[in-house]
Amino acid sequence: MKLVSIPILSAIIFTSSFVLCKSNEDASAAKTKTQDDSPIKAADATNVLSNGRDIPLIGMGIGNLPSDRIDEVVSFNLQLGSRLVDTARASRNESMLSKAIDKYFEGTADKKDGSEDNVVHVVTKVWYTHLGYERTKIAVGESLRDLTMNQNVDTRVHILLHWPRCDDNIAWMNCEKEERRLPKYVQEAGPPPHLNKDTAWQDSWKALEDLYAEDRNNREANMGRRPIIESIGISNFDWNDMVSLLDICRIKPLIYQGNVWKVFHDPRMMNLLNENNILFQAYNIMNGVHHRKSSAPNAFAVLSRIAAHLSKTRQELHDDQRLETKVTEGMVIMAWLVQQGISVVPRALSNTHQVENSPSSIISLPRMSSEEIETVKNAMSALMKGEDVKVKAVFHNEFMRSIQLHWMNQVTGEEVPVTDQVLPGVTLTIDSHPGHTFVAYCSMKKLRKEYEVTAEYGNSDHFFIHGEL
């Protein structure tokens, strides 16, 4: 089996000629390896898309945000340094967003033309009722109209197809009802997409390609007149739709927006996106991971432990400053994603959470070590699945004879067999907990040794059993 080596406390126990060793195989490597505790750099929080254009990795989501809070939330996030906003045509707040951005820049000194401070990226999406070539062009035109701002703001719009189709098997989708509610000019622009589910999105992609190419060819002429289409992409496409899209497209999607679940449980899709240099932008981060702590408390405790360590390290790096924002589990989650080159667009209403989610907070965190990256990955995966993490107690029988393993009840002293025997050369992995005690026997129980699991949740303890009788 493949083993992951994680540095742990060394404990070597000798008894007669029977030896139980707790692995210290990474000790020498740990002495020579230098930990990069420097914070994530601002440049690391920016991605260069496959078209050569930059996009921030850290932004804010305002989809389905109460309309009476949009002005306040947008203004506060812009003040915190956020320059990426995620919304959708279906959220019906694009015009409110543009007014809030205009209002913010009108009230600040950051009005210099050409200033990067005045560049705002907006991700918006075409709803599935507007799939089809002409319907998509209408939707994009209306989004660009509503996102038009004054000339003090350099607005760069990233347009995605929100869904590849309407699916009546999804409880909240009602294809025919939504079709009947459309304005007549949209209905007359093209056939109902729910009657042509396999190809309507393909026609929409052709429309996005044409609009994007037209904008690139007339970029200078369009600047100042309306927002620039900076990139095109998709959202919520499954494997088969993605393969089909890559097969027919003239221009590859530059952004894929999907549930954070895919990062951990859909490696085939993630590999496909990486191979085609498509940026993954994650949503449902807090609901999908952070808010599931009751289903996997040990995994959440792992994030708390990492947060405490990063907080301490960050304070040491800034010992001349008093840092107001405590490193939280949510910040650890987002820093982990950003460190993997994944974009995050969390939605938050409270000022406290908006500060925690801000680019300045995330880039202030020290980089996680390779061990911390693996530990956080396992904890996040466990939280999403609702399957809690444990300690992996890994026994390597390097003894010339079989051994027996027992778990010992520390209250009663009772020893419960874990397995009949572990043959020479065999490795056995047991899910355990910190503080658990095991007993190893060999040679008809003539040789016995107790040992304790000291690794923390999400980590592993390796025990090498060897010796001669």
Side-chain angles (χ1 to χ4, degrees):
M1 64 176 290
K2 183 178 179 181
L3 298 174
V4 179
S5 297
I6 299 178
I8 54 179
L9 296 174
S10 174
I12 303 177
I13 307 168
F14 299 90
T15 174
S16 182
S17 58
F18 177 51
V19 184
L20 257 170
C21 298
K22 199 168 189 182
S23 171
N24 197 29
E25 57 187 322
D26 291 331
S28 59
K31 292 177 182 178
T32 57
K33 178 182 176 181
T34 56
Q35 165 83 33
D36 182 5
D37 286 330
S38 60
I40 301 170
K41 297 178 181 178
D44 296 334
T46 301
N47 179 271
V48 179
L49 297 170
S50 59
N51 62 358
R53 310 296 296 181
D54 292 347
I55 184 173
L57 285 177
I58 306 169
M60 57 173 156
I62 65 165
N64 301 323
L65 205 68
S67 58
D68 60 345
R69 297 293 306 278
I70 286 178
D71 183 85
E72 170 197 346
V73 169
V74 170
S75 178
F76 189 62
N77 276 269
L78 290 171
Q79 182 182 342
L80 293 171
S82 183
R83 292 297 183 269
L84 170 64
V85 188
D86 174 57
T87 187
R89 187 67 187 161
S91 296
R92 301 180 181 179
N93 59 19
E94 291 165 325
S95 60
M96 287 181 273
L97 169 63
S98 63
K99 290 176 183 177
I101 294 174
D102 266 345
K103 181 179 177 181
Y104 170 80
F105 283 107
E106 286 174 0
T108 69
D110 302 325
K111 294 185 180 180
K112 298 178 182 178
D113 291 338
S115 168
E116 284 300 312
D117 285 340
N118 289 10
V119 175
V120 179
H121 294 256
V122 177
V123 175
T124 192
K125 297 173 276 294
V126 176
W127 195 238
Y128 53 71
T129 54
H130 286 62
L131 294 176
Y133 189 88
E134 294 298 336
R135 288 192 181 197
T136 292
K137 291 185 73 173
I138 289 174
V140 172
E142 291 176 344
S143 287
L144 294 177
R145 177 200 65 201
D146 288 350
L147 290 170
T148 298
M149 305 175 202
N150 66 47
Q151 295 186 11
N152 291 325
V153 185
D154 183 357
T155 313
R156 303 179 187 182
V157 181
H158 307 262
I159 301 180
L160 317 182
L161 299 183
H162 207 151
W163 292 86
R165 61 187 57 82
C166 180
D167 186 350
D168 280 319
N169 293 320
I170 298 177
W172 52 265
M173 291 186 178
N174 192 319
C175 306
E176 292 187 2
K177 184 176 181 180
E178 291 183 74
E179 176 68 23
R180 290 195 299 269
R181 289 179 173 177
L182 291 174
K184 188 174 182 180
Y185 71 91
V186 176
Q187 293 178 352
E188 294 176 346
H194 70 279
L195 300 180
N196 197 9
K197 295 184 178 182
D198 291 332
T199 59
W201 68 262
Q202 296 180 7
D203 294 334
S204 287
W205 187 254
K206 292 176 184 176
L208 290 189
E209 289 176 321
D210 289 345
L211 292 167
Y212 173 68
E214 179 184 339
D215 248 28
R216 283 179 67 84
N217 293 334
N218 300 286
R219 187 178 182 88
E220 295 300 324
N222 287 332
M223 288 185 70
R225 183 168 60 86
R226 63 165 175 76
I228 296 296
I229 300 177
E230 191 80 338
S231 75
I232 54 178
I234 68 278
S235 176
N236 301 308
F237 272 46
D238 65 18
W239 170 263
N240 291 330
D241 291 330
M242 274 302 302
V243 171
S244 296
L245 174 57
L246 292 172
D247 185 53
I248 67 169
C249 67
R250 289 177 285 129
I251 302 172
K252 289 183 180 181
L254 293 100
I255 297 174
Y256 181 106
Q257 190 180 98
N259 195 306
V260 69
W261 181 91
K262 285 188 176 294
V263 176
F264 302 92
H265 302 119
D266 194 353
R268 185 170 68 157
M269 178 67 85
M270 297 305 296
N271 288 336
L272 182 67
L273 299 179
N274 288 334
E275 289 167 2
N276 288 277
N277 197 18
I278 300 170
L279 172 67
F280 187 86
Q281 192 171 75
Y283 68 77
N284 198 36
I285 297 170
M286 294 303 157
N287 286 335
V289 183
H290 187 273
H291 295 163
R292 296 175 61 87
K293 60 183 179 182
S294 60
S295 65
N298 295 340
F300 194 80
V302 168
L303 299 181
S304 299
R305 186 179 77 237
I306 299 292
H309 174 256
L310 293 178
S311 187
K312 180 181 178 182
T313 304
R314 184 181 65 163
Q315 189 59 62
E316 291 171 351
L317 291 169
H318 301 276
D319 57 359
D320 59 333
Q321 306 174 35
R322 183 176 177 272
L323 300 174
E324 297 292 337
T325 307
K326 171 189 172 184
V327 178
T328 65
E329 295 84 1
M331 291 169 67
V332 171
I333 291 169
M334 287 192 293
W336 186 94
L337 291 165
V338 170
Q339 202 166 333
Q340 311 310 306
I342 294 168
S343 177
V344 294
V345 283
R347 185 181 63 188
L349 279 173
S350 78
N351 285 2
T352 299
H353 289 153
Q354 290 172 51
V355 170
E356 293 170 0
N357 297 345
S358 69
S360 57
S361 292
I362 301 305
I363 66 175
S364 74
L365 268 62
R367 295 178 184 275
M368 286 179 243
S369 67
S370 57
E371 291 82 12
E372 288 173 326
I373 288 172
E374 186 67 22
T375 300
V376 171
K377 175 183 176 182
N378 292 336
M380 291 172 66
S381 177
L383 283 160
M384 279 185 279
K385 292 189 296 184
E387 299 174 2
D388 216 350
V389 295
K390 298 180 176 64
V391 176
K392 298 292 183 183
V394 186
F395 300 89
H396 309 266
N397 186 11
E398 298 182 352
F399 197 50
M400 65 176 61
R401 301 184 183 183
S402 298
I403 62 169
Q404 295 178 336
L405 286 173
H406 295 248
W407 171 77
M408 187 171 73
N409 187 317
Q410 293 176 306
V411 177
T412 65
E414 178 187 7
E415 296 181 5
V416 179
V418 173
T419 183
D420 290 338
Q421 60 180 352
V422 182
L423 297 173
V426 172
T427 295
L428 176 67
T429 300
I430 301 171
D431 285 335
S432 186
H433 298 269
H436 272 197
T437 299
F438 289 85
V439 180
Y441 289 100
C442 76
S443 189
M444 303 298 293
K445 291 193 175 182
K446 291 181 180 178
L447 296 175
R448 175 187 187 279
K449 195 62 193 180
E450 298 177 10
Y451 57 94
E452 181 182 356
V453 175
T454 60
E456 297 175 309
Y457 285 118
N459 290 349
S460 303
D461 263 350
H462 290 260
F463 296 90
F464 291 83
I465 304 168
H466 55 83
E468 294 180 1
L469 291 178

